[in-house]
């Protein structure tokens, strides 16, 4: 516990009001998963999202975020795919294939079923594990549980945040938010023409795999590989998409000069050595290949007087605690700030930066931005308990002290009078060309 950031005094905290109110973001362990996995094009999904009745959507989400987003999913993602296939699934479509073999990395390309996810670690081996060595099953497919939350077992503790269904839903909500902010584009790097012809793409920290799957659907001639510490990706994916359980913070087994495009999104806050990571990216990109990093700078800002540097704002205070906790765990929550300079120092060229305002809540006038704000606010509300546990415990906070702080954070997130936003950064850069090399991009 650092002296600069005091813990709340339980005895001095406000008393519980006599009138009981419904929690703003109740813990819902049985929440319906996989609400944001469209198989249609993302631009069509965005158009459909924008056509929804906003008042009905808002009322449903404000009443119960799970119900609200279930309604949203039913209305907009008619062909949505479930993230985990049940053990009774017997058929596959022509454009997808089961991925159930041990990868060359010594990792699995299959995630456990939803029912398996709720079992104890020692019971995981009995679920669909006949084709896997026992040691591989227990170390890769299992999860660990801590404080009622589920985390990855492979390299346990390396990633500070859970991988349970609530966290996976948050992942997919942030994906939808990113596409809305980027007007339906999966990336800004000039690699579309190369991906249409056929390329090698690597998605680091793939999470639920939703970005990799949708890019694989859009570019069937391209091979998309997703890497993550958690085996939470679908069992059935497009035949050109592959997932591996691995730690991209360590040396890669891939040959050098392999990839045309490497994508990283929303994980820079957990990278322990950015310099080493960019060095690996440089080695494994083809000459002229691109890296793109998309990340939120979670510093709340405002363009009006609703939030000033002196305005009391519990969310801003909470994020300071989170930054200190992640620093204690060895990573930097605001790593995105230094990335352009670090990319240049690593030898990359043609560094381009874009910024988008990601509103917190539905205060903007523009409907697209209101939907972005709804996704972001709901993702934050649902994830407060999960994302705060390990970082704040690293500072010496108790679960009771954490929950007391979160009460005011939830109120701040739901305050319509504060017009706050985060900054969504998109940064891409190119590996220098070698003599006679091919840029592998759309640029003239």
């Amino acid at each position: 516990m650092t002296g600069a950031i005091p813990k709340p005094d339980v005895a001095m905290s406000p008393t519980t009001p006599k009138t009981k109110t419904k929690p703003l973001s109740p813990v819902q362990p049985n929440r319906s998963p996989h609400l944001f996995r469209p198989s249609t094009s993302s631009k069509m999904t965005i158009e459909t999202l924008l056509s929804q009745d906003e008042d009905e959507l808002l009322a449903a989400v404000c009443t119960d975020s799970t119900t609200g987003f279930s309604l949203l999913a039913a209305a907009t993602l008619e062909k949505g795919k479930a993230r985990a296939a049940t053990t009774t699934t017997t058929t596959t479509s022509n454009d997808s294939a089961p991925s159930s073999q041990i990868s060359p990395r010594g990792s699995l390309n299959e995630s456990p079923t939803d029912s398996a996810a709720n079992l104890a670690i020692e019971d995981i081996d009995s679920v669909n594990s006949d084709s896997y060595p026992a040691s591989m099953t227990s170390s890769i497919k299992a999860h660990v549980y801590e404080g009622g939350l589920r985390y990855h077992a492979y390299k346990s503790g390396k990633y500070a945040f859970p991988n349970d269904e609530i966290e996976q839903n948050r992942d997919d909500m942030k994906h939808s938010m990113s596409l809305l902010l980027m007007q339906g584009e999966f990336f800004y790097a000039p690699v579309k023409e190369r991906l249409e012809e056929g390329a090698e793409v690597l998605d680091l920290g793939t999470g639920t795999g939703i970005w990799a799957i949708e890019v694989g659907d859009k570019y069937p001639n391209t091979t998309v590989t997703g890497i993550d510490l958690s085996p939470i990706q679908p069992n059935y994916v497009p035949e050109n998409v592959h997932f591996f359980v691995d730690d991209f913070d360590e040396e890669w087994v891939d040959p050098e000069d392999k990839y045309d495009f490497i994508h990283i999104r929303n994980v820079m806050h957990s990278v322990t050595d950015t310099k080493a990571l960019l060095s690996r990216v440089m080695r494994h990109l083809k000459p002229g290949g691109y890296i793109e990093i998309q990340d939120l700078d979670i510093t709340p800002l405002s363009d009006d007087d609703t939030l000033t540097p002196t305005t009391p704002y519990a969310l801003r205070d909470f994020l300071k605690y989170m930054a200190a906790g992640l620093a204690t765990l060895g990573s930097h929550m605001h790593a995105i700030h230094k990335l352009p300079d670090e990319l240049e120092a690593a030898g990359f060229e043609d560094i381009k930066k874009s910024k988008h305002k990601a509103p917190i809540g539905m205060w903007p006038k523009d409907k697209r931005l209101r939907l972005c704000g709804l996704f972001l606010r709901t993702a934050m509300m649902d994830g407060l308990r999960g994302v705060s546990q390990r970082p704040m415990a690293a500072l010496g906070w108790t679960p009771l002290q954490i929950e007391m702080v979160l009460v005011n954070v939830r109120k701040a997130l739901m305050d319509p009078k504060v017009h706050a936003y985060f900054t969504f950064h998109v940064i891409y850069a190119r590996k220098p060309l070698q003599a006679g090399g091919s840029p592998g991009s759309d640029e003239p």
Side-chain angles (χ1 to χ4, degrees):
M1 173 67 188
T2 59
I5 303 179
K7 294 184 288 185
D9 189 335
V10 175
M12 296 181 64
S13 299
T15 57
T16 304
K18 293 182 180 180
T19 303
K20 293 184 178 180
T21 59
K22 183 176 180 179
L24 292 173
S25 182
V27 177
Q28 299 167 343
N30 295 321
R31 177 173 183 170
S32 301
H34 333 309
L35 305 181
F36 305 98
R37 181 177 299 286
S39 60
T40 55
S41 71
S42 295
K43 287 189 176 181
M44 179 62 70
T45 300
I46 289 174
E47 291 172 359
T48 314
L49 279 173
L50 294 175
S51 70
Q52 299 305 299
D53 186 282
E54 188 173 308
D55 291 336
E56 291 182 5
L57 177 60
L58 177 59
V61 173
C62 288
T63 302
D64 183 336
S65 61
T66 302
T67 302
F69 280 112
S70 295
L71 293 174
L72 175 63
T76 61
L77 311 180
E78 297 88 352
K79 299 181 180 179
K81 299 177 182 178
R83 180 183 294 112
T86 64
T87 56
T88 58
T89 299
T90 58
T91 61
T92 60
S93 63
N94 292 333
D95 62 345
S96 62
S99 307
S100 58
Q101 298 181 353
I102 298 173
S103 77
R105 297 172 182 268
S107 309
L108 295 181
N109 222 7
E110 180 187 46
S111 61
T113 63
D114 286 345
S115 59
N118 295 318
L119 300 177
I121 292 178
E122 57 269 22
D123 295 328
I124 293 290
D125 290 345
S126 64
V127 182
N128 289 338
S129 59
D130 293 341
S131 60
Y132 308 116
S135 60
M136 190 67 74
T137 306
S138 60
S139 64
I140 301 297
K141 294 184 67 179
H143 304 281
V144 297
Y145 295 82
E146 181 181 311
L149 300 168
R150 194 187 77 181
Y151 297 87
H152 66 92
Y154 179 67
K155 301 291 183 71
S156 180
K158 183 68 179 290
Y159 186 67
F161 306 122
N163 67 1
D164 53 25
E165 298 297 350
I166 290 178
E167 191 66 19
Q168 292 174 50
N169 279 349
R170 286 180 3 92
D171 230 18
D172 291 352
M173 278 188 268
K174 289 185 287 184
H175 171 76
S176 296
M177 179 206 71
S178 300
L179 291 178
L180 283 166
L181 289 173
M182 298 175 66
Q183 304 282 352
E185 299 292 341
F186 291 105
F187 47 81
Y188 285 165
V191 295
K192 288 183 180 179
E193 182 176 324
R194 186 62 179 269
L195 267 59
E196 289 170 355
E197 295 173 353
E200 290 280 349
V201 174
L202 178 63
D203 185 27
L204 299 179
T206 193
T208 63
I210 187 168
W211 184 91
I213 290 171
E214 293 189 7
V215 170
D217 276 337
K218 186 171 183 178
Y219 300 100
N221 294 327
T222 284
T223 299
V224 184
T225 302
I227 302 295
D228 203 274
L229 289 169
S230 293
I232 56 174
Q233 299 77 37
N235 285 356
Y236 294 92
V237 299
E239 60 184 8
N240 60 324
V241 177
H242 310 281
F243 295 116
F244 300 99
V245 176
D246 208 348
D247 183 3
F248 66 75
D249 252 349
E250 297 184 353
E251 290 302 315
W252 304 351
V253 299
D254 298 308
E256 296 186 0
D257 300 334
K258 175 180 179 179
Y259 294 103
D260 299 273
F261 181 45
I262 295 180
H263 172 263
I264 309 173
R265 186 175 67 182
N266 294 334
V267 294
M268 292 306 299
H269 52 67
S270 296
V271 174
T272 55
D273 190 341
T274 305
K275 181 179 179 181
L277 173 61
L278 295 180
S279 176
R280 283 190 290 274
V281 170
M282 175 66 80
R283 292 199 306 272
H284 292 278
L285 273 176
K286 294 178 181 178
Y290 279 82
I291 176 178
E292 179 165 308
I293 301 102
Q294 303 172 11
D295 223 322
L296 277 172
D297 173 15
I298 46 180
T299 301
L301 302 172
S302 178
D303 293 336
D304 55 29
D305 294 333
T306 60
L307 182 63
T308 68
T310 59
T311 304
Y313 194 47
L315 175 61
R316 181 164 50 197
D317 298 335
F318 167 72
L319 293 174
K320 291 179 181 178
Y321 301 142
M322 287 290 295
L326 288 172
T328 302
L329 295 174
S331 59
H332 184 29
M333 191 171 80
H334 301 292
I336 192 70
H337 291 172
K338 299 180 179 179
L339 263 177
D341 292 337
E342 290 174 327
L343 284 166
E344 185 177 6
F348 287 93
E349 302 176 337
D350 191 27
I351 302 171
K352 297 294 189 339
K353 300 172 286 185
S354 299
K355 296 180 182 180
H356 300 283
K357 295 178 181 178
I360 305 169
M362 300 186 66
W363 56 265
K365 294 181 179 180
D366 180 76
K367 185 172 184 178
R368 179 178 60 86
L369 292 177
R370 283 200 299 275
L371 281 175
C372 289
L374 179 61
F375 279 120
L376 179 56
R377 185 181 67 189
T378 307
M380 294 182 67
M381 290 285 287
D382 286 359
L384 282 175
R385 179 174 176 267
V387 301
S388 62
Q389 291 303 302
R390 281 185 171 177
M392 296 180 77
L395 299 176
W397 293 52
T398 67
L400 177 58
Q401 290 169 330
I402 296 172
E403 190 54 43
M404 289 176 55
V405 168
L406 295 185
V407 171
N408 288 327
V409 176
R410 292 185 179 103
K411 292 179 181 178
L413 280 169
M414 297 300 295
D415 188 351
K417 297 187 296 294
V418 177
H419 301 163
Y421 63 86
F422 294 147
T423 304
F424 184 69
H425 294 259
V426 181
I427 304 171
Y428 68 82
R430 186 183 68 220
K431 178 177 178 176
L433 292 169
Q434 295 177 351
S438 173
S441 80
D442 298 349
E443 291 187 330

